């Protein structure tokens, strides 16, 4: 069995199944992939295109082919020495609809359900209307309106043996304790057997077996045709809205408009998505119930490891990962003999701040690679472009003088107020309970605690902290202290004492004079320890979605200095990274997490890897870009005039939105698209329309998902269609295509550099489906479109082992990127120890063009094999008007790389098939004469 060295992420759904993937295994093997990395394989909501809305952890999704098809895929993989890694979602399940049995059970029985503690529900809501109930915010309109309109209706289900309330695709079971009263509203003489079956039924767990038996009786009764009219008579008794309302008021759920969720939801959601309910996987029984299938599949040798989704949503990420590692390790002896020497793969989806290290005590292999995507992205940008781009962007913001930091704080405050208000209240209540536990703090009001809490959250510099045994670590304090001091500056002096209290309650050292077991001084016998732990958990589960929603899903759609830096896991304020700092991060990766993943494209990215690479060129030409945007805005001003609606009034996108639209057009323009291709332009416009709607609503400025501003959105969409129209001679489309043509070669060089860094860096090279060719996608669903694997298979076969250098002239078809990936992954397969576990050695570049290249060496300590990776940097400034992504060899001058003796055995360049002699120095004009990257290794026998 092959050790993990490279992965391909595949998005499974009913239109791309396990059998579809099995038919592609030979292609992936030829490409050099060692493991398929699958989107979630557990049963999701029917029709799910992503699999993250799990409804049943115990079964492989039948829409993907079920377990039988999964095994067929794995058998096919094993014939090529390959494996399978599965994405797993421990944080949340799909709620709503009618397919999650656990969810339906808590709707039926409330806190008496056997699954009541599986979900992260606050059963003790301060709202009397929700006490002991679950908010069900799935109505499209106000509850009263939907009820009066007859959209909410009672029905009976013969299959389930129960009464349910139906609303669209949603089903809300009526508690069986109400059935006897309901039967008495119908034909009682016919319904007598059901009255007897359900008589005196209670919500207590000891009555659950009786309830199951009663439901069997209901099913048997309903199967008799002449009984259906009697059941229908019950339904008729609740046809009036008033009668149905009275019945609903007695249930363990409260139906409500979807708009109420942000303010009133009493269960933890995934971010602000009310169709995903948080799980309490920290409970051992819940852990076992959720992981039984995937652990069995691991023990049986079907899967080889797990990628853990959104680990920061969990109550205790460290403890969860440690438990999962221990369980997988314990199963190692049960796996097929050929697999027992391969350690389980365990990586986590974790967003790291630029100065935040991955914790080393989680017993994971590392992250899924968002940190690397950010680092290599910064490497491609020109730091000198920051100031002129800042000035240009400021000039577009009209009267606004807010700094990026101020804009970030505004976004966080808005998200907390409008999207996560219920979560803020929940955390404030947890802290308020601590205050009430102690006689010295009992006068701290809920309002004051909430006010201080908000300042902590909006100033929090990372996703979350990871306390242990109720106390923050030194690393936690590094970030918490920054938040506290920033909050202090924002709060009035009267709140400063409470600020310190929250510091103590949220995992800090006890206040002076406090009993170690109490919340504050003086000591007082209370349950403060458990309350502190609860507060720490909900605080961490609040800072995480706040960061994600305010930065990735708000600020990144407002701030347009350079969209290539507005990415998941990135900080838009940070434009570039020096070569020295990049080397340092990769050295740390090689030392601390040699099996972490290296990725540059994911199912969640905002822009495709090659879209970002092309846009990075703009950092080298900021003044030119500013003038281009100004010229395009003037050219297209005519499309902002009101057309036939009275006086000519300027409508459409404002300057900031317009500039971001132009940047998105430049980044996503397909390399094969001609300005004269009317159908192609329209298809491109349709893709951009989807992006524009999402961008406008995520920005939450003049429109949003809650209350779309139809007039504004229509005007912006009309503008987009007008500037890309093929109904008339369109100079803008011509200029857009010409500008893209001018920067595309430099963008292609950036792409190849990025690819080389990914496939040669320390760790596991990850490939997102289809990105072996150019990836000019935008945010989902654009980045999840079907992949033309037939085209890729044919192109790979046509390469006939051609080197990347041989494909540079045909760069527009993406074959040069494909060839580089295939060659580099082949080297990984032949010499895996070089890249996963090998040493990383930064190489010094000297000479007049030293700023335009990067080089590093890899050494396998066990075998002595070596490799040297060399790539072009910041090509926009040195490429000139070249139409091919290749710097003129002579332009490199005497720029050279110093090669340590240990690396001088690297004499075969697999990027160009050149044979070199050992030398202590390499000239870039030789190495990069035929290809913008080079990958040298010692001769392969």
């Amino acid at each position: 069995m092959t050790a993990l060295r490279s992965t391909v992420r595949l998005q499974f759904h009913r239109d791309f199944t396990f059998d579809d993937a099995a038919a592609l295994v030979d292609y992936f093997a030829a490409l050099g992939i060692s493991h398929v990395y699958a989107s979630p394989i557990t049963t999701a909501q029917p029709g799910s295109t992503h699999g993250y809305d799990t409804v049943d952890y115990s079964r492989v999704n039948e829409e993907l082919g079920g377990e039988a098809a999964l095994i067929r895929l794995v058998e096919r993989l094993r014939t090529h020495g390959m494996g399978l890694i599965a994405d797993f979602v421990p944080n949340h399940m799909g709620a709503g609809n009618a397919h999650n049995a656990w969810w339906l059970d808590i709707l039926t029985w409330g806190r008496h359900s056997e699954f009541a503690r599986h979900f992260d529900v606050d059963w003790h809501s301060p709202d009397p209307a929700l006490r002991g109930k679950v908010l069900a915010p799935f109505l499209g309109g106000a509850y009263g309106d939907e009820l009066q309109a007859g959209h909410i209706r009672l029905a009976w289900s013969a299959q389930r043996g129960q009464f349910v309330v139906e609303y669209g695709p949603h089903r809300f079971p009526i508690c069986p304790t109400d059935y006897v009263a309901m039967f008495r509203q119908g034909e009682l003489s016919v319904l007598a057997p059901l009255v007897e079956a359900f008589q005196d039924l209670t919500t207590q767990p000891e009555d659950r077996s009786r309830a199951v038996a009663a439901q069997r009786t209901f099913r048997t009764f309903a199967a008799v045709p002449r009984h259906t009219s009697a059941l229908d008579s019950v339904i008729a008794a609740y046809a009036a809205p008033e009668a149905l309302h009275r019945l609903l008021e007695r249930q363990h759920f409260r139906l409500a408009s979807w708009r109420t969720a942000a303010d009133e939801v009493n269960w933890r959601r995934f971010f602000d998505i009310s169709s995903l309910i948080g799980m309490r996987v920290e409970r051992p029984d819940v852990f076992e119930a959720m992981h039984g299938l995937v652990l069995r599949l691991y023990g049986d040798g079907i899967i080889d490891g797990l990628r853990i989704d959104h680990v920061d949503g969990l109550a205790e990420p460290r403890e969860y990962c440690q438990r999962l590692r221990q369980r997988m390790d314990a199963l190692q002896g049960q796996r097929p003999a050929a697999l027992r020497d391969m350690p389980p793969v365990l990586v986590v989806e974790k967003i790291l701040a630029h100065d935040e290290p991955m914790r080393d005590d989680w017993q994971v292999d590392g992250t899924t690679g968002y940190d690397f995507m950010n680092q290599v992205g910064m490497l491609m940008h020109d730091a000198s472009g920051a100031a002129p781009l800042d000035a240009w962007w400021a000039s577009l913001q009209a009267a606004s003088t807010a700094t990026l930091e101020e804009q970030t704080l505004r976004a966080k405050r808005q998200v907390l107020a409008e999207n996560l208000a219920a979560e803020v209240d929940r955390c404030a209540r947890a802290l308020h309970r601590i205050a009430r536990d102690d006689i010295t703090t009992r006068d701290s009001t809920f309002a004051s605690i909430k006010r201080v809490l908000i300042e902590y959250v909006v100033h929090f510099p990372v996703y979350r902290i990871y306390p242990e045994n109720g106390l923050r670590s030194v690393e936690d304090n590094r970030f918490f202290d920054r938040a506290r001091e920033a909050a202090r500056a924002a709060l009035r002096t009267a709140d400063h004492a409470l600020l310190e209290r929250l510091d103590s309650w949220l995992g800090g050292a006890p206040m002076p004079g406090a009993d170690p077991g109490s919340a504050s001084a003086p000591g007082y016998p209370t349950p403060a320890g458990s309350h502190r732990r609860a507060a720490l958990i909900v605080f961490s589960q609040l800072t995480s979605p706040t960061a994600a929603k305010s930065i990735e899903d708000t600020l990144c759609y407002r701030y347009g200095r350079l969209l290539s830096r507005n990415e998941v896991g990135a900080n838009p304020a940070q434009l570039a990274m020096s070569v020295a700092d990049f080397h340092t991060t990769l050295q740390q990766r090689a030392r601390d997490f040699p099996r972490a993943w290296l990725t540059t494209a994911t199912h969640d990215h905002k822009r495709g890897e090659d879209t970002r690479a092309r846009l990075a060129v703009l950092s080298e030409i900021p003044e030119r870009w500013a003038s281009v945007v100004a010229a395009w805005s003037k050219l297209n001003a005519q499309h902002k005039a009101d057309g036939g609606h009275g006086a000519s009034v300027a409508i459409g996108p404002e300057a900031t939105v317009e500039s971001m639209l132009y940047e998105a057009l430049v980044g996503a323009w397909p390399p094969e698209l001609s300005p004269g291709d009317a159908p192609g332009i329209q298809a491109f416009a349709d893709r951009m329309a989807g992006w524009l709607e999402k961008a406008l609503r995520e920005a939450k400025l003049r429109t949003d998902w809650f209350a779309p501003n139809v007039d504004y959105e229509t005007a912006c969409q009309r503008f987009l269609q007008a500037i890309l129209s093929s109904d008339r001679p369109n100079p803008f489309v011509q200029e857009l295509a010409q500008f893209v043509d001018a920067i595309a070669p430099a963008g292609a060089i950036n792409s190849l550099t990025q690819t080389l860094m990914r496939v040669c860096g320390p760790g596991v090279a990850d490939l997102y489906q289809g990105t072996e060719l150019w990836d000019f996608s935008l945010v989902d669903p654009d980045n999840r479109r079907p992949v033309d694997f037939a085209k890729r298979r044919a192109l790979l076969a046509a390469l006939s082992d051609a080197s990347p250098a041989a494909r540079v002239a045909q760069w527009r078809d993406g074959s040069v990127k494909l060839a580089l990936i295939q060659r580099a992954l082949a080297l990984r397969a032949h010499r895996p120890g070089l890249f996963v576990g090998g040493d990383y050695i930064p190489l010094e570049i000297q000479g007049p063009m030293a700023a335009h290249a990067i080089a590093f060496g890899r050494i396998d300590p066990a075998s002595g094999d070596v490799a040297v990776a060399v790539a072009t940097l910041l090509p926009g400034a040195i490429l000139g008007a070249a139409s091919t992504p290749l710097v003129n060899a002579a332009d490199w001058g005497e720029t050279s790389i110093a090669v340590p003796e240990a690396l001088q055995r690297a004499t075969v360049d697999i990027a160009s098939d050149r044979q070199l002699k050992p030398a202590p120095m390499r000239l870039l004009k030789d190495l990069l004469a035929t290809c913008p990257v080079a990958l040298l290794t010692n001769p392969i026998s």
Side-chain angles (χ1 to χ4, degrees):
M1 172 61 194
T2 301
L4 177 66
R5 61 175 188 268
S6 56
T7 60
V8 59
R9 164 74 180 210
L10 297 180
Q11 293 292 121
F12 287 101
H13 46 81
R14 62 187 177 191
D15 295 321
F16 185 80
T17 67
F18 298 137
D19 286 331
D20 293 323
L24 296 169
V25 168
D26 59 334
Y27 164 70
F28 295 135
L31 190 58
I33 298 296
S34 71
H35 287 68
V36 165
Y37 152 38
S39 60
I41 62 175
T42 49
T43 300
Q45 293 279 19
S48 175
T49 60
H50 47 76
Y52 288 102
D53 44 0
T54 304
V55 294
D56 188 347
Y57 283 105
S58 68
R59 291 186 301 121
V60 176
N61 196 336
E62 291 295 335
E63 286 194 345
L64 312 184
E67 190 165 339
L70 178 67
I71 291 173
R72 289 195 296 271
L73 169 60
V74 172
E75 288 174 345
R76 181 72 171 156
L77 289 168
R78 297 303 188 207
T79 63
H80 290 272
M82 300 167 65
L84 179 70
I85 297 165
D87 200 342
F88 186 73
V89 191
N91 178 64
H92 53 263
M93 289 187 84
N97 291 339
H99 307 284
N100 186 337
W102 295 358
W103 165 256
L104 294 175
D105 201 71
I106 69 165
L107 293 181
T108 306
W109 300 102
R111 57 186 170 185
H112 304 289
S113 165
E114 63 177 297
F115 305 107
R117 299 296 179 266
H118 282 46
F119 299 104
D120 200 350
V121 178
D122 181 2
W123 294 105
H124 305 284
S125 171
D127 182 353
L130 281 176
R131 200 159 297 151
K133 297 190 176 191
V134 175
L135 185 72
F138 302 109
L139 304 183
Y143 168 75
D145 294 342
E146 297 297 289
L147 189 66
Q148 292 292 336
H151 297 156
I152 303 170
R153 67 185 192 90
L154 184 66
W156 56 270
S157 170
Q159 179 185 10
R160 298 176 183 272
Q162 62 183 192
F163 289 105
V164 296
V165 169
E166 297 180 342
Y167 180 82
H170 303 285
R171 299 293 180 270
F172 305 97
I174 298 298
C175 184
T177 59
D178 278 314
Y179 284 14
V180 171
M182 295 172 67
F183 293 141
R184 287 173 177 158
Q185 303 298 312
E187 299 175 20
L188 192 58
S189 59
V190 180
L191 294 166
L194 293 183
V195 172
E196 181 180 355
F198 286 92
Q199 189 72 46
D200 299 325
L201 193 65
T202 72
T203 59
Q204 296 306 308
E206 55 266 26
D207 262 8
R208 207 52 44 83
S209 60
R210 273 196 61 210
V212 172
Q215 281 187 277
R216 285 198 297 267
T217 301
F218 193 126
R219 287 195 294 270
T220 301
F221 182 90
V224 179
R226 62 188 177 86
H227 290 165
T228 60
S229 62
L231 291 171
D232 287 342
S233 70
V234 175
I235 302 302
Y238 293 92
E242 296 78 7
L244 182 55
H245 170 66
R246 287 193 294 272
L247 177 63
L248 288 172
E249 286 290 271
R250 297 197 297 272
Q251 303 314 305
H252 298 289
F253 55 85
R254 181 167 76 83
L255 295 182
S257 164
W258 66 274
R259 296 178 187 275
T260 66
D263 295 324
E264 294 191 336
V265 69
N266 63 333
W267 40 272
R268 181 171 59 86
R269 300 173 292 170
F270 171 65
F271 295 170
D272 60 348
I273 302 174
S274 299
S275 59
L276 298 174
I277 183 170
M279 307 302 294
R280 297 194 62 189
V281 71
E282 69 275 12
R283 293 174 57 91
D285 58 329
V286 180
F287 180 94
E288 296 302 325
M290 293 171 66
H291 292 77
L293 171 66
V294 291
L295 289 174
R296 175 175 65 79
L297 293 176
Y298 180 73
D300 291 346
I302 305 303
I303 64 173
D304 301 299
L306 295 170
R307 177 261 196 194
I308 303 303
D309 180 68
H310 190 52
V311 71
D312 275 342
L314 307 184
E316 297 168 332
R318 175 198 299 106
E319 290 76 5
Y320 169 81
C321 291
Q322 290 173 347
R323 177 184 292 176
L324 185 55
R325 169 68 73 180
Q326 291 165 6
R327 289 299 307 278
M328 295 175 78
D329 284 344
L331 291 168
Q332 202 68 7
Q334 299 180 25
R335 285 168 61 77
L339 303 177
R340 290 175 192 166
D341 290 338
M342 301 299 162
V345 177
L346 185 58
V347 291
V348 294
E349 182 199 35
K350 173 77 184 88
I351 305 299
L352 296 166
H354 76 281
D355 59 345
E356 178 188 13
M358 180 62 202
R359 306 301 172 100
D360 59 6
D361 58 349
W362 288 20
Q363 297 180 17
V364 298
D365 295 317
T367 74
T368 55
Y370 287 116
D371 46 344
F372 176 79
M373 185 163 74
N374 176 41
Q375 292 152 5
V376 76
M378 285 193 287
L379 180 70
M380 295 186 295
H381 287 74
D382 188 349
S384 67
L389 285 170
D390 282 339
W392 165 71
W393 180 249
S395 72
L396 297 177
Q397 297 184 80
S400 175
T401 59
T403 65
L404 181 58
E405 181 179 2
E406 291 168 339
Q407 293 178 53
T408 303
L409 295 178
R410 288 178 185 174
K412 286 188 173 184
R413 293 186 195 283
Q414 182 175 352
V415 163
L416 289 173
E418 298 177 5
N419 300 78
L420 301 173
E423 287 78 2
V424 172
D425 283 351
R426 184 182 188 186
C427 188
R429 286 197 301 273
L431 292 165
H432 195 218
R433 280 193 290 271
I434 298 175
R436 290 291 176 87
D437 278 342
D438 197 300
I439 59 174
T440 64
T441 59
R442 64 183 298 176
D443 286 345
S444 298
T445 65
F446 175 82
S448 64
I449 288 173
K450 181 176 176 180
R451 183 168 59 246
V452 174
L453 168 66
I454 287 173
E455 292 307 317
Y456 260 122
V457 174
V458 298
H459 290 98
F460 217 72
V462 293
Y463 260 49
R464 60 170 290 172
I465 54 174
Y466 307 95
E468 190 169 9
N469 297 322
L471 291 175
R472 300 194 302 264
S473 66
V474 172
E475 191 65 34
D476 289 332
N477 281 329
R478 187 161 67 89
F479 301 114
F480 205 92
D481 291 349
R482 283 160 54 183
R484 184 187 62 247
E485 296 314 306
R488 188 190 308 279
L491 288 166
R492 60 182 184 174
T493 304
D495 286 328
H496 288 181
L498 186 54
L499 182 75
E500 298 301 326
R501 291 288 183 187
L502 262 66
D503 185 333
S504 174
W505 296 340
L506 292 171
M511 299 290 286
D515 184 298
S518 70
S520 59
Y524 191 71
T526 71
S530 62
H531 285 176
R532 279 173 57 123
R533 179 179 178 274
L536 269 171
I537 289 172
V538 295
F539 176 77
S540 296
Q541 291 175 328
L542 174 60
T543 58
S544 175
T546 301
K549 290 299 298 180
S550 60
I551 305 300
E552 297 167 18
D553 292 342
T554 303
L555 186 68
C556 282
Y557 291 98
R558 294 179 177 181
Y559 179 67
R561 177 181 70 169
L562 203 52
L563 295 184
S564 48
R565 292 297 302 134
N566 292 13
E567 193 50 79
V568 179
N571 183 346
Q574 297 171 300
L575 183 68
M577 171 182 279
S578 70
V579 170
D581 286 345
F582 184 76
H583 283 318
T584 297
T585 63
L586 264 63
Q587 284 178 302
Q588 292 171 342
R589 177 184 294 270
R591 181 188 66 233
D592 300 334
F593 292 99
R595 284 162 53 89
W597 289 9
L598 306 158
T599 191
T600 49
T602 76
H603 59 287
D604 279 333
H605 65 232
K606 304 296 184 190
R607 272 154 285 276
E609 62 184 25
D610 301 313
T611 305
R612 298 193 307 272
R614 182 188 287 170
L615 291 177
V617 179
L618 301 182
S619 69
E620 299 185 67
I621 53 171
E623 292 85 0
R624 181 183 173 191
W625 173 238
S627 65
V628 165
V629 171
W632 287 349
S633 183
K634 183 177 180 180
L635 178 65
N636 292 324
Q638 58 181 317
H639 302 304
K640 289 188 178 182
D642 186 313
H645 297 285
S648 180
V649 178
I651 59 174
E654 55 270 52
T656 51
V657 173
E658 184 179 359
S659 70
M660 287 192 282
L661 173 58
Y662 293 145
E663 193 173 345
L665 291 170
V666 167
W669 183 272
E672 72 280 3
L673 183 58
S674 164
D677 178 4
I681 295 293
Q682 186 57 56
F684 180 55
D686 292 343
R687 284 179 55 209
M688 296 305 302
W691 171 85
L692 182 59
E693 178 187 69
K694 186 163 188 170
L696 294 174
R697 293 184 180 182
E698 294 289 2
K700 306 174 186 67
L701 291 173
R702 296 183 61 182
T703 186
D704 57 38
W705 296 105
F706 282 105
N709 182 336
V710 176
D711 290 341
Y712 172 66
E713 290 187 10
T714 300
C716 291
Q717 293 287 359
R718 187 184 298 122
F719 178 81
L720 169 63
Q721 295 298 328
I723 67 175
L724 293 180
S725 174
S726 299
D727 294 340
R728 65 188 188 288
N730 192 333
F732 170 70
V733 171
Q734 294 288 340
E735 291 191 16
L736 173 62
Q738 290 170 6
F739 183 78
V740 172
D741 277 347
I743 68 168
I749 292 178
N750 280 339
S751 293
L752 296 176
T753 293
Q754 178 176 241
T755 299
L756 187 71
M757 298 298 103
R758 171 165 54 91
V759 294
C760 293
V764 175
D766 177 42
L767 176 75
Y768 181 63
Q769 59 177 30
T771 61
E772 56 269 39
L773 297 184
W774 299 131
D775 171 28
F776 293 102
S777 63
L778 296 167
V779 71
D780 67 279
D782 194 64
N783 62 2
R784 302 179 188 180
R785 288 173 293 155
V787 177
D788 187 349
F789 282 113
K791 174 183 177 181
R792 285 157 176 77
R793 188 198 296 270
L795 196 52
L796 182 64
L799 286 178
S800 300
D801 202 33
S803 70
R807 302 302 302 178
V808 169
Q810 293 81 31
W811 65 277
R812 290 184 182 276
D813 67 2
S815 60
V816 61
K817 182 183 180 185
L818 179 65
L820 177 60
I821 291 171
Q822 191 275 330
R823 284 289 182 97
L825 293 186
L827 181 60
R828 271 184 171 257
H830 194 74
R831 293 172 173 166
L834 263 179
F835 303 102
V836 181
D839 295 336
Y840 179 93
I841 303 173
L843 298 182
E844 181 183 2
I845 300 179
Q846 302 172 333
M849 301 284 279
H852 293 280
I854 182 173
F856 58 81
R858 306 301 311 276
I859 298 179
D860 180 356
S863 67
D865 290 325
V866 298
V868 173
V870 186
T872 307
L873 286 183
L874 306 180
I878 57 176
L879 198 56
S883 60
T884 301
L886 188 65
V887 176
N888 189 326
D891 291 342
W892 289 108
E894 296 304 304
T895 306
S896 63
I897 303 171
V899 183
E901 183 176 356
L903 294 171
Q904 290 178 20
R905 294 177 59 226
T907 57
V908 177
D909 179 12
I910 64 172
S912 65
D913 286 337
R914 292 183 61 202
Q915 304 289 321
L916 305 171
K917 294 181 179 180
M921 182 267 288
R922 300 284 188 197
L923 290 171
L924 292 188
K925 65 183 178 184
D926 295 332
L927 290 180
L928 304 180
T930 59
C931 188
V933 299
L935 178 53
L936 282 61
T937 188
N938 52 294
I940 299 174
S941 57

